[in-house]
Amino acid sequence: MATHSLKGIVKGVKYSPYLNQGKLTRYDIARFDVNAAKSYGLINLGTPGNNLAFSKWVSPKRTRTYPFQRIYNTLGLSTKKVTIIPVIKDEGAAGDNDRINAMTFSWMNLMNVHIVLAWYEDAEKVNTKNKITNQVLNVESVREKLLEISQFHSNALHWNTNHFENDFERIYLNAVESYQRISKKENVVMHKAQDHLATLDKFKVDNQFCVETFKRVTLSGSHAAALRETVTLHELESLGEDEKGIFLIINYQGGEYYLTADEIYWENDQLVIQESKNTTKDKLPSKSDIIDGLFKLILFANMEQVDIDDRINVPFVTRLKLTGNLTGNLFLPTSTNRVSNFCQQNHLSSARRKTITLLNQEAGMNDFQIWITKNDA
């Protein structure tokens, strides 16, 4: 088992989605209510063809509510992309307590998606438990930032950096104050305000919020290993949950970001960079799971170069592995006949046949592989 330094170079991101949901709902900016709006759509800015494509997160923790699927549904549009993220989601002492981290910041920068930080200002108690639900974001602040983005004439990296530097602390404190207010109004015990504030203090240098410190502090656990630019590779084996492959990604502007891959291994003298989705109860993972995996592949598929230690520009392939209660294997992209035969062999429904057909097109258009096979359960 050897330790290696992994680096990928991304000069630009191009991607053609095929599993997106079609026509998006439109909203006028003057009446845009982030709470009433769907999870993604278009915001009309008042002049023909002048729109923002938006998505919103329920929680800053991406593994809970599939925010990448929502962003994915805006990718095929040529307009600016915006994603609205609560800086904290405290569900009460009996619930989860999530904060935004640097991985999200980095990922959105590389995807050229503008972030709008938001805070929850109201909620309701869940029965007698110390837990809240039906959380409501502050509408005016979100609308204000959307208007600012519409007039911002640089890329998402510059917007996100400025937004975090100028607004993170204020929005974070608004969130903490709101949860204290909700605690009194609903008579519910929340996570301690002093713990939220102690976390905020860790992001500061000379009593000012610092983006670089925020990155360093929130890249904890397995992500902290990325700061040492090392990862353990296993020959033809998956990495453990705490040993996911972590790449140092460098973009054309010289920015450095850290992103994870589920599995990294050698196969036929090629480095395989793989995301994996599995189901033990169905024939294919859910559409949300599949799109979540596709979204993570986008940056890896756009790497123009991968280096390992002193080996420059090693051959690599990017792959999404989908496992379920299936017979046989199917590697995409492939011929329509092979897709049809695999679907017939596994008695797949028309909806699943359509999904695989679209995945075949998506893999071919975007130069990555999809491996559909049986699970090991």
Side-chain angles (χ1 to χ4, degrees):
M1 186 184 298
T3 300
H4 300 265
S5 172
L6 298 174
K7 181 171 72 175
I9 298 175
V10 176
K11 293 186 177 179
V13 175
K14 295 180 181 178
Y15 195 80
S16 299
Y18 283 78
L19 284 184
N20 49 339
Q21 303 296 312
K23 191 174 181 180
L24 276 64
T25 303
R26 292 177 176 268
Y27 302 87
D28 290 334
I29 185 63
R31 296 184 294 276
F32 182 74
D33 182 337
V34 62
N35 299 299
K38 292 183 178 180
S39 57
Y40 57 90
L42 280 175
I43 299 172
N44 186 343
L45 298 171
T47 56
N50 192 11
N51 302 302
L52 293 175
F54 80 91
S55 55
K56 62 179 182 179
W57 299 42
V58 175
S59 164
K61 185 161 181 148
R62 66 167 180 79
T63 54
R64 297 200 197 283
T65 55
Y66 294 108
F68 285 173
Q69 179 187 11
R70 301 165 187 186
I71 300 171
Y72 175 94
N73 286 321
T74 69
L75 290 182
L77 303 172
S78 58
T79 189
K80 280 184 182 177
K81 281 91 177 164
V82 180
T83 197
I84 302 159
I85 309 176
V87 67
I88 301 172
K89 188 175 188 185
D90 185 345
E91 296 182 346
D96 295 317
N97 182 34
D98 300 326
R99 304 181 186 95
I100 194 169
N101 62 34
M103 275 292 195
T104 297
F105 177 81
S106 295
W107 218 304
M108 296 305 102
N109 288 343
L110 283 166
M111 292 295 299
N112 201 28
V113 175
H114 300 68
I115 295 172
V116 170
L117 296 172
W119 74 89
Y120 284 113
E121 64 177 2
D122 202 2
E124 299 173 357
K125 186 176 181 179
V126 178
N127 298 324
T128 58
K129 298 178 181 178
N130 285 317
K131 194 171 181 180
I132 57 173
T133 188
N134 296 329
Q135 298 199 38
V136 177
L137 291 169
N138 180 275
V139 173
E140 291 75 18
S141 175
V142 170
R143 189 185 296 129
E144 174 187 322
K145 291 302 168 186
L146 290 171
L147 283 168
E148 286 184 27
I149 290 172
S150 72
Q151 299 165 3
F152 189 80
H153 298 297
S154 190
N155 61 22
L157 169 62
H158 289 116
W159 165 266
N160 294 339
T161 302
N162 290 340
H163 183 35
F164 274 61
E165 287 178 346
N166 297 329
D167 302 317
F168 185 96
E169 182 173 357
R170 174 181 59 82
I171 292 170
Y172 191 100
L173 290 174
N174 283 340
V176 175
E177 290 169 6
S178 289
Y179 282 125
Q180 289 178 296
R181 196 164 54 247
I182 292 167
S183 176
K184 293 178 182 178
K185 178 175 75 77
E186 297 293 327
N187 190 27
V188 58
V189 178
M190 306 297 293
H191 290 90
K192 294 180 180 178
Q194 53 264 43
D195 291 343
H196 287 303
L197 297 175
T199 298
L200 178 61
D201 284 340
K202 293 177 183 178
F203 304 153
K204 294 182 180 180
V205 174
D206 296 330
N207 208 35
Q208 297 289 324
F209 175 84
C210 174
V211 169
E212 292 305 315
T213 304
F214 167 72
K215 290 181 190 177
R216 177 178 56 79
V217 170
T218 61
L219 287 169
S220 59
S222 64
H223 299 160
L227 296 175
R228 298 188 295 273
E229 301 177 22
T230 60
V231 66
T232 301
L233 269 70
H234 300 230
E235 289 288 329
L236 295 172
E237 291 181 11
S238 302
L239 297 181
E241 180 64 27
D242 295 325
E243 300 179 289
K244 290 186 176 184
I246 305 179
F247 276 81
L248 166 63
I249 304 289
I250 299 176
N251 72 355
Y252 70 99
Q253 295 172 315
E256 296 185 355
Y257 312 92
Y258 297 95
L259 299 175
T260 63
D262 282 342
E263 301 168 69
I264 299 174
Y265 55 89
W266 290 103
E267 181 182 271
N268 300 325
D269 296 323
Q270 278 191 319
L271 189 69
V272 178
I273 303 163
Q274 181 169 288
E275 288 295 324
S276 301
K277 297 294 181 180
N278 177 58
T279 178
T280 57
K281 299 179 180 179
D282 210 340
K283 294 190 175 183
L284 284 177
S286 70
K287 197 169 183 179
S288 295
D289 258 338
I290 293 172
I291 290 177
D292 190 69
L294 288 172
F295 191 90
K296 289 185 242 179
L297 279 191
I298 294 173
L299 289 175
F300 294 125
N302 274 278
M303 290 190 299
E304 296 194 7
Q305 180 177 317
V306 171
D307 303 337
I308 303 177
D309 301 328
D310 58 352
R311 296 175 60 186
I312 306 300
N313 203 16
V314 301
F316 73 96
V317 62
T318 310
R319 181 182 295 166
L320 175 62
K321 182 182 179 183
L322 304 176
T323 53
N325 296 326
L326 296 165
T327 300
N329 292 278
L330 182 66
F331 275 92
L332 307 177
T334 189
S335 68
T336 55
N337 282 340
R338 286 182 179 174
V339 170
S340 178
N341 290 339
F342 181 82
C343 292
Q344 289 179 7
Q345 179 185 14
N346 285 281
H347 308 288
L348 298 183
S349 66
S350 58
R352 292 195 177 106
R353 289 175 186 234
K354 182 178 179 181
T355 294
I356 292 179
T357 298
L358 292 173
L359 286 173
N360 194 36
Q361 294 175 278
E362 191 152 341
M365 182 61 70
N366 296 290
D367 195 27
F368 61 82
Q369 298 177 353
I370 299 177
W371 178 20
I372 305 175
T373 187
K374 66 179 179 179
N375 60 41
D376 295 328

